[in-house]
Amino acid sequence: MHKVRKATESDFPSILSLIREFAAFQGTPGKVTITPEQMLRDRDIFQCMVAESDEGHIVGIATYFFAYYSWSGRAVYLDDLYVQPGSRKQGIGKKLLEAVIGLAKQEHCRKVRWQVSRWNSAAINFYKSMGAVIDDVEMNCDFEIMPV
């Protein structure tokens, strides 16, 4: 049975390892630039739920942050949801997503929003099974700001 809990600072190295695994799964390993030191500096905004195995190993993560949308109000943005391949098909992703949704409800948010890659049909089907509405109209925009 896996336990889902809010991450602590001591979890940051393990979380970063899973973030790197997820980036590799997405085919973009070079895009991860975050460091444990940066996560520590940003601990007031960096939020994460972790799924722990019975042995205490972190096998899944859900990173998120609070957002405000001008059309609907307070929300949670789910940045990454990832479960290691050897731990999939055990309900861990569902527990992580339910934990983030539960937090959003507790904080009186109007919605939880996230992205899913068009090619990831397993994730799309999972999200739809959880009741998510997937919008295929909007496109993402990023403006990268490099540190000085």
Side-chain angles (χ1 to χ4, degrees), residues 26-44:
Q26 292 282 89
T28 57
K31 287 192 173 187
V32 177
T33 61
I34 191 98
T35 64
E37 295 78 22
Q38 185 178 354
M39 293 165 80
L40 189 59
R41 279 194 313 272
D42 296 338
R43 68 183 166 271
D44 292 338

Side-chain angles (χ1 to χ4, degrees), residues 17-29:
S17 178
L18 267 68
I19 289 170
R20 286 184 176 131
E21 279 184 37
F22 181 53
F25 172 76
Q26 292 282 89
T28 57

Side-chain angles (χ1 to χ4, degrees), residues 16-17 21-22 33 36 40-42 45 51-52 55 62 73 79 82 86 100 104 107 116 119 122-123 126 128 148:
L16 180 56
S17 178
E21 279 184 37
F22 181 53
T33 61
L40 189 59
R41 279 194 313 272
D42 296 338
I45 26 181
E52 267 185 331
E55 296 79 27
D79 190 39
Y82 179 73
V100 172
E107 295 294 327
V116 61
W119 59 263
F126 165 66
K128 285 181 177 178
V148 287

Side-chain angles (χ1 to χ4, degrees), residues 57-140:
H57 301 291
I58 295 175
V59 297
I61 58 169
T63 62
Y64 61 92
F65 55 89
F66 287 93
Y68 195 89
Y69 293 101
S70 57
W71 288 15
S72 58
R74 189 171 170 84
V76 168
Y77 190 90
L78 174 64
D79 190 39
D80 286 330
L81 176 64
Y82 179 73
V83 176
Q84 291 181 311
S87 297
R88 293 183 187 157
K89 305 287 187 204
Q90 300 176 38
I92 297 168
K94 182 177 181 180
K95 284 182 184 180
L96 285 164
L97 184 55
E98 286 175 340
V100 172
I101 292 169
L103 174 71
K105 288 178 179 178
Q106 177 184 326
E107 295 294 327
H108 308 289
C109 294
R110 300 291 306 268
K111 66 180 166 185
V112 177
R113 175 177 274 178
W114 64 93
Q115 300 171 327
V116 61
S117 298
R118 291 182 200 275
W119 59 263
N120 195 343
S121 57
I124 291 168
N125 291 334
F126 165 66
Y127 294 140
K128 285 181 177 178
S129 77
M130 294 285 295
V133 175
I134 299 180
D135 176 359
D136 61 356
V137 175
E138 303 297 327
M139 295 172 58
N140 297 312

Side-chain angles (χ1 to χ4, degrees), residues 3-7 11 15 48-52 58 60-61 96:
K3 176 176 128 182
V4 172
R5 62 173 175 79
K6 194 162 165 63
D11 297 322
I15 293 167
C48 184
M49 296 285 183
V50 296
E52 267 185 331
I58 295 175
I61 58 169
L96 285 164

